[in-house]
Amino acid sequence: MQIVERIAAFRARMKMEAFDVVIVPTADSHASEYLSDHFKTRRWLCGFTGSAGTLVVAENEAALFTDGRYFIQAERQLAGSGVTLMRMGTAGTPTLTEYLLSMVGEGSRIGVDFSVVSEQFAAGLRRDVKKKNAVLCDTGDWFDDLWKDRPALPEGKAFRLDVQYAGRTAAEKLEGVRAAMREAGAQVHVTNVLDDIAWVLNVRGSDVLHTPVVMSYLIVKEDGAEWFVDGNKVDEKLRASLLEDGVCVRGYDEIIPALEAIEAETSVLVDTGKLTAALTAALAQTHLIGRENPILRMKAVKNDVEIENLRKAHVKDGTAVTRLMYWLKTNVGKIPMTESSVSDYLQQLREEQENYVSLSFDTICAYRSNAAMMHYTATPETAAVLEPRDLLLIDSGGQYLEGTTDITRTFALGEVELEQKKHFTAVLCSVINLASAKFLHGMTGIGLDILARGPIWDMGIDYRCGTGHGVGYLLCVHEGPNSFRWQKSAGRGEDTVLDAGMVTTDEPGVYIEGSHGIRTENELVCRKLEENEYGQFMGFETITCAPIDLDAVIVEQMTQKQRTWLNDYHAFVRQKQMPHMQTQEERTWLEHATRPI
């Protein structure tokens, strides 16, 4: 079926079920950012492949709401579909709620699948549409009928992450959850969030591409815990290991009956921003205590074992990126290269590293104007041929037993225009300003974001995304609640206090449509510095370990402090990576690539 035919079939179902408007979010039953193929219903229906967006379908119109990372991509992919692109956050663009209210009237029925949206989302929408005397109703999942070749739910095996990587046992982590339950006055905690469950149980899997989690639910009680998961994914060794930590394995589809069986008036701790409306409805007989899932912040603060492992992971990952940089610099223009072949070669270099598990997301390898699309993905039709000139942006990462990595480097493949060098250097100065920040404990990402944006704002330009996000440990490459972002937005962690042990990316950029895109990205570990009468001072340790391309730098645009930081960073990279260079030519090149400026 073509997109227009799919939407026509969807509208026919709407008419049959008496819905005036239906919302199709980018969502699964677990509040995930990245979805297994089974849940990519919005993508199937409208053809937009970005990782974020909400589709609204009415009888005579349809609209896709997405953010600035995807404006260019969405405009291209929606062409001819009859779906209007709504550029979120731009002047003149209504919010999702405003758009819905403009379309409905008294008695209108608005639908959404309650099994994939949070109770918080559903409750807010109920209040909003009530203003027009309209109602919000559960559609259930229509896509098993409409999407004839819909992928099945994933069936990958689960495995236990040894304490030498996790740093703490599942029993210890569960006790931390119970302490938070007692503080909240709760007897039970329920969560559907896959990375939170994976972290607290020290289990990993392969149910979501590049994110090693297991489709499951978790109920924690004072006297034990129940893990709801497809039993075929759990072998007897894992089952016995979990039982030692007080965790009983139950079937994935048993979650609703289990929630309905909780004794009436039991106090249940839930995060209504994550728990689905369907699961919340199954808890109707209990007393709900709505709070942020306590696992979120426990997981965000990496323990000493995790941090030391992450340092090792970044050296290994940096080796792959460093060797790719050498290969690019010495071979571009001499052998055929495309965005896709370069991406494949980088994956090969990662796969050679010990304890490699998978990529941490689809590699973004974008040449020249393609790099202006922040989340561009090369296809056989679009993969540009690389030439010995201009800029190539590569945003990539790996999953290792020692942790998750996310790194972006922009490479000069030859001659680069002066304006692009100015932009490249401004981005570099932005990275350095944030990485070298010193601040009192209590500071948040909102307070620090201007350090990164300053050199770019000074040029009268901006980038339509955050400066940085938290990173999981062999989990989601995008992890909350910590972030760097100057605008407060619902559901994000800009106002999260930065605590020692939090890992956050530092990735400002410049994106000029039709011309070029530049991003440099390192990961930062928040660390304690000195404490005195003014309080506890904090700073960052940069753990990403690969050269930044000096061939695109205008040295005179940098302050002496910034140059010193860069020289120190490159000395660190040189020391860590030199033993991993395989030939004298690579070692000689690395010496030059990390030369002091």
Side-chain angles (χ1 to χ4, degrees):
M1 297 170 71
Q2 298 300 313
I3 299 303
V4 172
E5 295 172 318
R6 293 173 185 176
I7 294 175
F10 191 80
R11 286 188 169 121
R13 182 65 179 264
M14 287 171 57
K15 186 174 182 179
M16 184 176 70
E17 302 276 0
F19 281 99
D20 298 286
V21 183
V22 173
I23 301 164
V24 184
T26 305
D28 65 4
S29 301
H30 302 278
S32 305
E33 178 184 15
Y34 295 112
L35 312 179
S36 71
D37 289 344
H38 177 82
F39 287 102
K40 292 179 180 177
T41 53
R42 186 268 299 152
R43 174 176 178 169
W44 176 83
L45 186 56
C46 74
F48 169 61
T49 62
S51 66
T54 301
L55 179 66
V56 180
V57 182
E59 182 180 0
N60 297 313
E61 61 183 293
L64 175 82
F65 288 77
T66 193
D67 61 63
R69 296 172 297 170
Y70 297 108
F71 289 168
I72 302 171
Q73 175 184 341
E75 186 172 14
R76 294 178 181 178
Q77 292 182 330
L78 295 176
S81 68
V83 178
T84 301
L85 172 60
M86 294 293 184
R87 294 174 171 81
M88 293 167 58
T90 60
T93 299
T95 64
L96 176 65
T97 299
E98 289 169 343
Y99 180 71
L100 281 170
L101 293 182
S102 73
M103 301 170 68
V104 301
E106 185 168 350
S108 294
R109 279 168 47 91
I110 297 94
V112 70
D113 181 358
F114 281 13
S115 73
V116 298
V117 295
S118 71
E119 172 60 22
Q120 187 178 87
F121 177 88
L125 206 52
R126 285 190 200 101
R127 289 192 301 269
D128 290 332
V129 301
K130 191 175 181 181
K131 299 171 186 175
K132 289 288 194 81
N133 293 319
V135 293
L136 179 71
C137 304
D138 182 10
T139 63
D141 186 350
W142 293 348
F143 287 92
D144 277 344
D145 296 331
L146 296 171
W147 189 357
K148 299 304 182 184
D149 57 349
R150 183 181 189 178
L153 285 169
E155 299 177 345
K157 298 293 186 181
F159 67 94
R160 204 81 199 263
L161 186 67
D162 193 272
V163 72
Q164 76 180 86
Y165 301 111
R168 295 172 62 202
T169 66
E172 291 171 321
K173 292 176 179 180
L174 286 166
E175 279 308 305
V177 174
R178 293 185 181 106
M181 288 163 51
R182 289 189 288 270
E183 182 182 345
Q187 300 155 286
V188 176
H189 174 52
V190 178
T191 182
N192 59 324
V193 180
L194 302 183
D195 56 320
D196 288 350
I197 296 169
W199 181 85
V200 79
L201 297 184
N202 287 344
V203 294
R204 299 295 190 270
S206 58
D207 283 355
V208 178
L209 183 65
H210 307 324
T211 305
V213 292
V214 186
M215 303 286 288
S216 58
Y217 304 93
L218 180 68
I219 297 178
V220 182
K221 303 176 181 178
E222 276 293 348
D223 58 352
E226 295 173 313
W227 187 35
F228 296 81
V229 60
D230 180 349
N232 294 324
K233 299 178 181 181
V234 185
D235 63 24
E236 289 306 314
K237 181 179 178 182
L238 175 55
R239 196 179 294 261
S241 176
L242 287 163
L243 200 57
E244 290 177 4
D245 288 320
V247 181
C248 174
V249 176
R250 297 184 60 181
Y252 182 76
D253 294 329
E254 294 179 38
I255 183 63
I256 294 287
L259 296 180
E260 292 173 336
I262 294 175
E263 189 174 338
E265 300 306 314
T266 299
S267 295
V268 181
L269 176 63
V270 296
D271 184 343
T272 57
K274 302 288 186 181
L275 200 69
T276 65
L279 294 179
T280 305
L283 290 166
Q285 79 284 7
T286 68
H287 170 62
L288 296 184
I289 300 174
R291 288 196 182 184
E292 179 184 87
N293 184 347
I295 302 171
L296 180 70
R297 290 175 192 260
M298 294 167 59
K299 171 167 55 70
V301 176
K302 275 53 180 178
N303 60 53
D304 289 343
V305 172
E306 289 174 318
I307 290 171
E308 184 54 36
N309 282 330
L310 281 167
R311 293 189 183 106
K312 295 174 183 176
H314 277 280
V315 171
K316 290 193 288 190
D317 200 67
T319 298
V321 174
T322 302
R323 295 192 63 225
L324 177 82
M325 183 178 178
Y326 165 78
W327 179 81
L328 282 169
K329 293 283 190 175
T330 54
N331 290 300
V332 67
K334 300 176 183 177
I335 63 175
M337 291 183 188
T338 67
E339 292 167 334
S340 295
S341 67
V342 169
S343 178
D344 291 344
Y345 184 56
L346 178 55
Q347 181 171 345
Q348 177 186 325
L349 292 172
R350 280 197 167 94
E351 289 171 349
E352 294 173 3
Q353 304 304 313
E354 186 181 15
N355 290 338
Y356 171 84
V357 176
S358 72
L359 299 180
S360 58
F361 57 97
D362 287 329
T363 298
I364 300 168
C365 184
Y367 184 47
R368 302 181 71 187
S369 62
N370 285 342
M373 293 180 278
M374 296 182 198
H375 282 216
Y376 167 81
T377 300
T379 66
E381 295 76 29
T382 66
V385 175
L386 274 53
E387 304 172 33
R389 64 189 179 101
D390 299 321
L391 297 172
L392 174 69
L393 184 155
I394 303 180
D395 186 353
S396 65
Q399 300 280 12
Y400 305 86
L401 292 181
E402 292 87 357
T404 303
T405 69
D406 186 0
I407 175 175
T408 308
R409 291 292 184 264
T410 304
F411 303 113
L413 299 185
E415 287 298 317
V416 177
E417 293 178 3
L418 179 60
E419 180 188 49
Q420 295 180 21
K421 285 189 174 182
K422 288 179 178 178
H423 289 167
F424 184 98
T425 308
V427 169
L428 174 57
C429 292
S430 296
V431 168
I432 294 170
N433 284 0
L434 182 54
S436 55
K438 185 175 183 178
F439 53 95
L440 282 167
H441 184 259
M443 181 64 76
T444 69
I446 287 179
L448 290 173
D449 191 58
I450 192 173
L451 294 176
R453 292 189 191 261
I456 295 170
W457 280 356
D458 285 345
M459 304 178 84
I461 53 180
D462 190 25
Y463 45 97
R464 292 188 177 99
C465 62
T467 297
H469 55 83
V471 181
Y473 185 95
L474 189 52
L475 285 171
C476 299
V477 73
H478 295 155
E479 177 181 278
N482 44 304
S483 71
F484 299 119
R485 186 184 298 264
W486 68 275
Q487 286 180 308
K488 182 72 183 85
S489 56
R492 296 190 182 270
E494 300 86 354
D495 54 356
T496 296
V497 171
L498 294 165
D499 286 326
M502 286 182 170
V503 178
T504 317
T505 62
D506 175 5
E507 49 177 313
V510 168
Y511 308 94
I512 307 299
E513 184 174 353
S515 177
H516 61 278
I518 297 163
R519 180 161 65 249
T520 298
E521 175 186 17
N522 288 334
E523 288 185 31
L524 310 177
V525 180
C526 189
R527 310 296 286 172
K528 289 182 179 180
L529 302 178
E530 73 267 24
E531 185 176 15
N532 55 31
E533 68 269 27
Y534 301 105
Q536 176 66 61
F537 280 92
M538 312 292 288
F540 296 117
E541 172 192 351
T542 299
I543 56 175
T544 303
C545 189
I548 294 169
D549 196 346
L550 296 175
D551 293 342
V553 172
I554 300 174
V555 176
E556 296 76 19
Q557 200 173 314
M558 303 176 70
T559 66
Q560 186 55 55
K561 181 180 178 182
Q562 290 164 345
R563 296 179 206 180
T564 298
W565 185 97
L566 183 58
N567 289 339
D568 290 345
Y569 175 72
H570 273 153
F572 156 72
V573 171
R574 187 166 56 249
Q575 181 219 349
K576 294 292 185 180
Q577 293 300 347
M578 194 63 77
H580 302 287
M581 298 299 100
Q582 296 184 352
T583 66
Q584 184 57 48
E585 288 79 9
E586 284 185 343
R587 290 187 284 272
T588 301
W589 169 84
L590 180 60
E591 192 74 37
H592 176 73
T594 57
R595 64 193 180 276
I597 62 170

